[in-house]
Amino acid sequence: MYGKLYLCATPIGNLEDITYRVLRILKEVDIIAAEDTRHSIKLMNHFEIDAKMTSYHEFNKFEKAEVLINQLKDGKNIALITDAGTPGISDPGEVLVSRCFDEGIVVSSVPGPAACITALTMSGLSTRRFAFEAFLPREKRDRQRILEELKNETRTIIIYEAPHHLKDTINELYKTLGDRRITLLRELTKKFEEADRTTLLALINRFSSEEPKGECVLVIEGKSFEEIDEENQQKWESMSIEEHMEYYLNQGNDKKSAMKLVAKDRGVSKRDIYNYLLNLEED
């Protein structure tokens, strides 16, 4: 009989947020795979858990996953924990979970805190649809590519950031997205918890004379459909009808379909486009 992998959510700050079920599982399992054993031992000692810990982190996530898989196959039950929050969200847990599915090993979630959801619900911005980006890539080209994708994102955007990178990230977001409403959340669930609903430009001004402190979550308002429609309208109006037709013909549309799309973009009837092109041919 194979063992089971338990994804155990741990507090993101306040130790009182741990659940009874997580505590029970941590006491019962054979092994606790922790992102940083030095950090997690404090949690274990606080709750008087006999820690049978092993490290599982970003730099050993592939080779150590195979070790853990073999232990699960030997019938060991394993709890996976991260430094704070839910395993598998912005941490290497996703690799181990994927390998468990490959090997037919049962995975069970023992839910609890997650900084991204906590921040979203506190942000005062739309919670119905959201895009979670975690930490932006540090490599410049990948980072710029993600920022360009976010430029027209209509969902609320959630980004994690460390305090020493916060100023640069806010400046980059302002340059790429323009001035947007944003809620900066710091030190979630801790004594100095803060939720500052403001704008990107106001945050730039704030941190021109103040050094950021504490782990941060940025919740940014998505672009409105009205803004996108207005930008598209300006784009189409800057084109001649012939150029607009060519745009859709080059995408593989036949002439009839292209006329229909052009008419829709420009807010006119298909007959108007047909008559314009017919007169052009006659001239």
Side-chain angles (χ1 to χ4, degrees), residues 187-246:
E187 297 291 272
L188 288 170
T189 77
K190 300 177 186 176
K191 182 178 180 180
F192 297 107
E193 177 180 88
E194 177 193 6
D196 179 15
R197 193 171 79 167
T198 180
T199 65
L200 282 166
L201 185 56
L203 274 186
I204 290 171
N205 292 332
R206 171 183 168 179
F207 290 117
S208 65
S209 58
E210 177 186 332
E211 283 303 314
K213 295 179 181 178
E215 295 301 313
C216 302
V217 184
L218 306 176
V219 183
I220 307 159
E221 187 173 50
K223 197 168 196 176
S224 71
F225 289 113
E226 289 78 11
E227 284 180 283
I228 291 174
D229 289 342
E230 184 178 337
E231 287 176 5
N232 285 337
Q233 191 64 36
Q234 291 172 354
K235 172 185 170 184
W236 304 134
E237 288 174 357
S238 69
M239 289 182 179
S240 67
I241 290 178
E242 302 96 289
E243 290 170 333
H244 204 157
M245 281 290 294
E246 196 66 28

Side-chain angles (χ1 to χ4, degrees), residues 121-139:
T121 57
M122 288 176 60
S123 69
L125 300 175
S126 174
T127 60
R128 192 176 73 83
R129 299 166 62 246
F130 62 92
F132 176 57
E133 282 296 333
F135 289 92
L136 293 172
R138 296 255 60 91
E139 203 281 317

